[in-house]
Amino acid sequence: MAEPHGDKTRISKYSKLRCCNIDFPRYHNRLGISKMKVSRMGVEDYNRAVHVWIFAESTQELLLQLRSAGNCQESWPGLWNVSTAGQIAAGDSSLVTARRKLQKELGVILPKDAFEMIFDSLRETLANNSNVRITNGEKITDVYLVTTLDPIPLEAFTLQESEVSAVKYIHYLKYKSLLGSQNSEYVPYDVDGQYGQLFDIITQRYKVDNVARSLTLKKQLQRYASVPLNVELAGLTDANKEVLALVIKAAALIDKIFHLQVWYSNPYLRDWLENSAALSELDELKWAYYRINKTPWSSLDENEAYLTTADSAIILVPEATRQVRGWKGLEYKAAFPSKIPPGANFYPPDMDKMEFELWKDSLTKDQQSFVTGFFSVIKRRSEYNLDLSICNGGLDSTNHMEGSTFDLYGIPFSQEYSSFLSKAAELLHKAGDITSSPSLKRLLQTKASAFLSNDYYESDIAWMELDSELDITIGPYETYEDSIFGYKATFEAFVAIRDDKGTAQVKLFGDNLQVLEQNLPMDDAYKSKNVSAAPIRVVQLVYNAGDVKGPQVVAFNLPNDERIVKDRGTSMVMLKNISEAKFKHTLQPIADACITNEQRGFVDFDSYFTHVICHECCHGIGPHTITLPDGKETTVRLELQELHSAMEEAKADTVGLWALRFLTLQGLLPGMSLKSVYTTILAGCFRSVRFGLSEAHGKGQALLFNWLYEKEAFIFNSDETFSVDFDKVGDAVESLSREILTIQAKGDKESANLLLQKYGVISEPLKVALQNLERIQVPVDIAPEFPIAEEVLGKKRPFC
C-alpha cells in the first residue's frame, strides 16, 4: 500500500467488436458504432481512419504514395498522399488497421513497436479534388509515425497497383511548404491546424540543443539524493548469505519483467541506452535518468517524456520488405508514445474501456474473474495473426475472427513472462533447498511454484507467515501502472534483513487493528467484525527491483488479494533504512523551509516513521469487499477502478492520522506527541506532492492537505510558511476520514471523482511551497544504491 507522506508504499490490492470504435474529439470516448467504409446516405457523423507516415531519420524525409488514377471509387486519384491510409473496418482496431494497410498497399511488414501513435486529428473529409463535403461527414484520424533509420529503397516496396501508382521520398519541410501553398499535386492538409502537429513533432524531435538537454537532465537528476545502503550482513549464516545472493539474482529477472510490463518496446530502449551510455555526456545522462524512472517518462514531472523515439533502439528487420541486392534491410526505431500509456503493456494500446466491457460481459463469471484479475494480460487475436505473418514473411491471410465474436483474449502471466519466470523459479527453488528456516523455505518454494502456475494464493499466505532473518517479498502485487482499470499487477522484489528491535517496537499497531476498525468514523453497517491483526516487520533493505521507480517505497502492505484480506488481513513491511534516508535528505530540509519557526521543532523522525506504520495498518482496515444496494458483492477496487489507488492512499494517510489520535487518547501510545505528528505530516504533504499528481500517493496527499486547509486546520502564513491549528486539526481529519471511508463502502465512483477533482489538485498554497522548495533545491527523493546487490550481479548503478 502506500506510504503516508506520498512516497510509494504498497496497496494491499474473447471477442471482436462489430464496430468502428468511433471517437469524438479531443478526449473522446469510443462509442462502438459500426460504420461502412464510405457512407453515401448524407448522414453527418464521425468515421475513424488511420494514417501511417514513414519517416527516414537520416535524410529527414517523409514517404509519399501516388494514389492510383484508374480507380474513381478511391479518394484523391492521381495525387500524392500519406505513406498509407485507410478507414478502420468494422471489427478492426486502429493499430491493426495501420499494420494491415502498410502490408497491403506497400508490402511493408512491421511489428507493432514500429508504430508510434503521435496524435489524432478531426477534420472534414472532402470528396476527391472538390470542396464538397462527402456524406460521411467528419473523420477522426489516428496518425502513426514509423521512423526508419534510412530511406527504404523504392524497389523494396511491393505496391498494390489498384490503389498505389508510385512512391517517393520528400524532405518534410519541403512537403509542408507544398501543402501550405495548396499545390494541386498533393492531397490537401491544413498544416496550420491540427495536422501541423506532424511537422511540429518532427522539428522538435530533431532540432534539439544537446547542451540545453544535458543541463535539463542534470537538473532532473539533482532532484534525487544518491544514498548507498550499506547493510550489515555479519549476523547471517553462510547458508543464508548464499540464499541472499540467489534471491537477488531472481529479483534482477523480476526487474526485466517490469520493464516489459510498462511498454512493449521498453526493453529495447533499456538495452539501447545502456549500450550507448559511454558515447557522450548526454547519453550517460539519459541512461542515468532512465535507471531511476525505468521508463522514458519522468515520474516527478507528471510522467512527461524526457526521451523520444529518436532516442530509442534501432531494430533490423530484413524480412520487412522485398529484398534488394546490397541493402541489408529495413532498420526502424522502436517506438513509444510521448504520453505514458494508461494501460501500460497489459492491454492492446488501441483498446478502450467500452471494447473491454463488451467483451467481458460476454464471458462466464470465472472468465470475467480471470480477465479482470491481477495476473493476466489482454491481447488481440488479430495482432497475433499479424505477428505470425511477420515470422512467415508474408501478408496475413488467416481469418482472425474465426472461432470468436471478439478480438480480445487473455493469457496468464505464467505464459506471457515464462522465459523470465522459469529462471526465477529455478533460483528460488535452489534457495529454498539451502535455507534452514522453515518459513523462508516455504515462501521460496511456493513462490517459485506460483510463477509457473499463476496461482499466488498459497505463496501470499506463506509470505504473511514469514519468520526469518531474511525478509523476501517477490512477485506481482501493485496495480498503479494500470490506470485504465487498476486491475493488473506489476512485478516487484524487496530483499531485506529483518530488524528485530524495530519489529518488536511496532507490534502494538497490529494488535489493535480490530479496535480501530470498530471505532472508524463511518456507519457501523460498513464495519468488519473480523479484522485480523496485521503482522508488522521492520527491515533493512538490501535490494529492490521491479515496480520501484522514481520516488522510493518506504513501506508496503500486502497481499492485495481481496480473498486473503477478507479472511486473514494483511501484513506490512517497513523499510527503516529507506525511511531514515528520506527523512534526513528530504523531509527535514522541507520542514526547515516551509514550517513556521514556532512549530518547526515539532518535526521529528519518530513521528514520521510512526505515521508510516499507522498508514500501512490502515490499509488493512475499512472497506475492501463490499455489498452494493442491489445485493451484488464486489470490491472497492473493482468499483472505483482507476480512482482506487489515489483514494486508498488518501484513506491510509487520513485514517492513519485519525488512528494515531485515537490510540493516543486511549493511552496506548505513551510519549506520543500529536503536535509532532500533525506538524510532521504537514511538512510531509509538501514532500509528497512533489512526486506529481499522476502518482497516487501525491494525489492522495494533495487531497489531505487541501481538505485540512479548507477547514482552517492548516494555516498559510503571510511569510509563506505554514502551521497547524491544533484545536481544529483533529475534527478536520475525522471529517475527511468519514468522507473517504463512506465513498469506499458504497463503491461510489462518481463521488470519488468529484472529491479528487476538487481537492486532489495543486492549490495556490501548495504551488507557493513547491516554488520555494525548487528555489532552494531541496532534493525531492533519494536514489538508493545497493552495494551488496551490485557485487552479486557484477553491476554498478550509474548516477550523475
Side-chain angles (χ1 to χ4, degrees):
M1 286 193 159
E3 169 204 352
H5 314 303
D7 290 311
K8 284 190 272 189
T9 50
R10 298 305 189 170
I11 300 186
S12 298
K13 17 186 169 191
Y14 265 51
S15 66
K16 179 64 93 172
L17 278 178
R18 298 191 180 280
C19 69
C20 209
N21 292 334
I22 309 303
D23 289 355
F24 285 86
R26 165 100 173 110
Y27 299 102
H28 38 268
N29 293 317
R30 293 174 180 166
L31 301 182
I33 302 170
S34 179
K35 295 297 300 177
M36 299 298 292
K37 181 177 182 181
V38 177
S39 167
R40 289 181 167 79
M41 300 301 293
V43 179
E44 296 271 349
D45 53 21
Y46 292 87
N47 289 305
R48 291 190 67 237
V50 297
H51 281 183
V52 180
W53 294 93
I54 296 179
F55 177 72
E57 188 176 77
S58 62
T59 61
Q60 304 279 284
E61 292 177 312
L62 289 167
L63 179 77
L64 304 184
Q65 65 164 258
L66 184 64
R67 301 299 296 161
S68 174
N71 188 348
C72 63
Q73 295 299 315
E74 293 298 330
S75 58
W76 306 107
L79 297 187
W80 291 100
N81 197 9
V82 57
S83 306
T84 190
Q87 290 199 29
I88 301 176
D92 269 343
S93 68
S94 173
L95 181 56
V96 167
T97 298
R99 296 176 67 186
R100 288 181 183 279
K101 292 298 292 184
L102 198 59
Q103 279 187 330
K104 183 178 179 182
E105 293 191 353
L106 302 183
V108 178
I109 309 169
L110 287 172
K112 66 181 180 181
D113 67 354
F115 294 78
E116 177 186 359
M117 215 298 224
I118 53 176
F119 63 92
D120 54 35
S121 172
L122 173 68
R123 67 188 188 113
E124 293 182 355
T125 52
L126 306 178
N128 299 329
N129 296 358
S130 72
N131 290 321
V132 180
R133 188 192 302 177
I134 66 173
T135 53
N136 61 334
E138 294 179 302
K139 178 181 293 184
I140 289 181
T141 302
D142 293 342
V143 182
Y144 291 90
L145 187 66
V146 172
T147 302
T148 63
L149 192 60
D150 298 306
I152 302 168
L154 299 186
E155 58 269 35
F157 293 102
T158 302
L159 305 183
Q160 184 185 18
E161 294 181 359
S162 62
E163 295 196 17
V164 183
S165 298
V167 292
K168 71 174 181 180
Y169 276 98
I170 183 172
H171 194 279
Y172 81 99
L173 291 178
K174 181 179 179 180
Y175 179 51
K176 180 182 180 182
S177 176
L178 290 168
L179 293 176
S181 64
Q182 298 182 345
N183 188 294
S184 61
E185 296 182 13
Y186 296 84
V187 174
Y189 293 97
D190 182 8
V191 296
D192 295 320
Q194 283 184 309
Y195 219 90
Q197 294 176 82
L198 169 66
F199 305 96
D200 294 341
I201 287 169
I202 294 173
T203 298
Q204 293 168 6
R205 185 166 293 181
Y206 291 99
K207 293 191 175 180
V208 177
D209 182 341
N210 285 338
V211 174
R213 195 173 180 197
S214 293
L215 289 173
T216 297
L217 282 169
K218 284 180 180 178
K219 286 184 65 176
Q220 290 175 311
L221 280 161
Q222 287 168 358
R223 294 178 295 182
Y224 291 90
S226 180
V227 179
L229 298 181
N230 295 300
V231 180
E232 180 59 57
L233 302 183
L236 292 183
T237 65
D238 290 341
N240 273 348
K241 288 179 181 178
E242 188 175 353
V243 170
L244 182 69
L246 289 168
V247 175
I248 286 173
K249 291 177 181 179
L253 292 168
I254 293 302
D255 207 50
K256 293 181 181 294
I257 296 176
F258 175 70
H259 280 89
L260 180 58
Q261 289 183 303
V262 174
W263 185 245
Y264 47 76
S265 61
N266 198 35
Y268 290 119
L269 175 64
R270 175 199 63 216
D271 295 345
W272 179 264
L273 293 174
E274 181 177 17
N275 293 333
S276 305
L279 297 179
S280 69
E281 180 189 39
L282 177 58
D283 289 308
E284 184 180 6
L285 291 166
K286 289 178 189 176
W287 174 231
Y289 200 51
Y290 179 88
R291 285 294 299 268
I292 289 174
N293 290 279
K294 299 187 179 182
T295 76
W297 304 287
S298 176
S299 298
L300 292 182
D301 299 294
E302 304 295 334
N303 286 320
E304 178 183 337
Y306 61 94
L307 300 172
T308 71
T309 295
D311 300 304
S312 194
I314 298 172
I315 300 176
L316 171 65
V317 189
E319 65 275 14
T321 65
R322 177 188 296 165
Q323 293 184 354
V324 175
R325 185 181 297 274
W327 182 57
K328 63 182 178 180
L330 188 153
E331 293 178 291
Y332 71 88
K333 289 294 189 73
F336 52 86
S338 60
K339 301 294 183 182
I340 190 168
N345 194 22
F346 294 120
Y347 309 94
D350 54 357
M351 187 205 80
D352 60 19
K353 281 190 172 184
M354 172 172 280
E355 180 179 7
F356 182 90
E357 294 291 354
L358 288 174
W359 166 55
K360 184 195 74 174
D361 290 346
S362 74
L363 303 176
T364 66
K365 186 174 181 180
D366 286 345
Q367 289 172 331
Q368 288 183 4
S369 296
F370 172 68
V371 302
T372 61
F374 293 116
F375 314 127
S376 62
V377 176
I378 310 305
K379 292 179 173 284
R380 291 195 184 280
R381 300 181 190 279
S382 49
E383 278 191 357
Y384 176 78
N385 289 327
L386 281 166
D387 291 340
L388 281 181
S389 75
I390 294 175
C391 297
N392 296 332
L395 186 64
D396 169 30
S397 60
T398 61
N399 180 1
H400 61 278
M401 296 180 66
E402 183 178 359
S404 176
T405 307
F406 291 86
D407 194 27
L408 301 177
Y409 69 98
I411 64 173
F413 281 2
S414 55
Q415 179 179 338
E416 178 72 357
Y417 311 121
S418 60
S419 61
F420 300 111
L421 291 175
S422 59
K423 295 176 184 177
E426 184 179 343
L427 289 165
L428 294 187
H429 270 304
K430 186 176 181 180
D433 291 339
I434 294 172
T435 184
S436 59
S437 166
S439 65
L440 181 57
K441 181 187 293 288
R442 181 186 172 211
L443 170 66
L444 295 173
Q445 293 182 342
T446 56
K447 189 66 68 173
S449 297
F451 285 169
L452 304 181
S453 69
N454 216 52
D455 183 354
Y456 287 86
Y457 187 91
E458 185 179 352
S459 68
D460 281 346
I461 296 295
W463 179 84
M464 294 183 70
E465 296 174 350
L466 180 63
D467 181 14
S468 167
E469 62 180 352
L470 289 183
D471 197 282
I472 310 299
T473 303
I474 187 167
Y477 293 108
E478 306 304 339
T479 62
Y480 301 120
E481 293 298 319
D482 176 6
S483 59
I484 295 182
F485 292 112
Y487 290 160
K488 305 304 176 187
T490 48
F491 278 84
E492 63 189 356
F494 297 88
V495 184
I497 309 297
R498 186 174 61 189
D499 184 321
D500 290 323
K501 180 180 178 181
T503 299
Q505 291 175 334
V506 301
K507 187 175 183 296
L508 165 77
F509 293 93
D511 291 345
N512 282 279
L513 275 191
Q514 186 64 60
V515 174
L516 292 173
E517 175 76 21
Q518 294 309 309
N519 287 278
L520 284 174
M522 66 174 178
D523 193 299
D524 286 345
Y526 301 134
K527 296 176 182 177
S528 173
K529 302 295 189 295
N530 186 27
V531 174
S532 300
I536 305 174
R537 309 196 294 258
V538 178
V539 304
Q540 301 289 332
L541 184 65
V542 176
Y543 180 55
N544 64 23
D547 189 5
V548 191
K549 63 185 179 70
Q552 289 292 301
V553 172
V554 300
F556 49 89
N557 188 23
L558 297 172
N560 290 326
D561 188 329
E562 287 92 353
R563 298 171 301 170
I564 300 176
V565 174
K566 182 180 179 181
D567 297 337
R568 299 283 299 268
T570 60
S571 293
M572 62 191 70
V573 174
M574 321 298 299
L575 310 177
K576 191 166 186 180
N577 53 347
I578 291 286
S579 298
E580 290 169 337
K582 281 175 174 281
F583 183 85
K584 175 181 178 181
H585 292 281
T586 64
L587 187 55
Q588 188 64 68
I590 287 172
D592 293 342
C594 293
I595 304 301
T596 187
N597 284 333
E598 292 76 13
Q599 294 186 2
R600 197 172 297 157
F602 289 131
V603 177
D604 61 25
F605 175 74
D606 286 343
S607 296
Y608 164 68
F609 193 62
T610 302
H611 184 243
V612 171
I613 296 167
C614 205
H615 168 108
E616 292 306 320
C617 287
C618 290
H619 275 308
I621 60 176
H624 287 93
T625 299
I626 59 176
T627 302
L628 301 182
D630 62 3
K632 175 187 174 183
E633 187 172 278
T634 181
T635 67
V636 178
R637 179 178 68 89
L638 288 175
E639 295 306 310
L640 299 190
Q641 296 183 336
E642 74 279 7
L643 306 181
H644 172 253
S645 292
M647 288 293 291
E648 179 63 22
E649 295 313 320
K651 179 202 85 173
D653 281 332
T654 310
V655 176
L657 280 176
W658 168 86
L660 284 177
R661 180 171 182 263
F662 176 85
L663 293 172
T664 300
L665 294 178
Q666 296 296 311
L668 296 173
L669 290 174
M672 172 61 64
S673 166
L674 288 176
K675 289 184 176 181
S676 288
V677 169
Y678 292 132
T679 311
T680 301
I681 297 317
L682 171 58
C685 286
F686 306 127
R687 189 175 71 87
S688 299
V689 296
R690 297 178 84 197
F691 301 152
L693 299 191
S694 62
E695 207 273 338
H697 311 80
K699 184 174 282 290
Q701 282 275 290
L703 167 56
L704 171 64
F705 173 89
N706 289 320
W707 181 285
L708 296 188
Y709 176 72
E710 181 181 82
K711 303 298 183 185
E712 299 180 346
F714 286 168
I715 308 299
F716 184 35
N717 302 304
S718 59
D719 62 353
E720 297 188 348
T721 62
F722 294 80
S723 55
V724 181
D725 186 325
F726 297 119
D727 293 328
K728 295 180 179 179
V729 67
D731 289 342
V733 166
E734 183 168 329
S735 67
L736 180 56
S737 298
R738 181 176 294 105
E739 182 78 12
I740 295 173
L741 289 166
T742 303
I743 287 173
Q744 290 185 320
K746 293 180 177 180
D748 188 350
K749 186 176 181 181
E750 181 179 355
S751 295
N753 190 43
L754 291 173
L755 187 69
L756 289 169
Q757 285 183 350
K758 181 175 181 180
Y759 296 101
V761 297
I762 299 296
S763 57
E764 189 59 31
L766 284 175
K767 186 182 298 183
V768 172
L770 296 181
Q771 289 171 344
N772 290 337
L773 293 173
E774 178 70 19
R775 186 172 60 251
I776 63 176
Q777 296 186 334
V778 174
V780 176
D781 204 62
I782 65 168
E785 298 178 4
F786 303 107
I788 295 168
E790 289 163 3
E791 183 177 349
V792 170
L793 301 173
K795 294 183 178 181
K796 173 64 178 165
R797 182 186 181 96
F799 189 82
C800 298

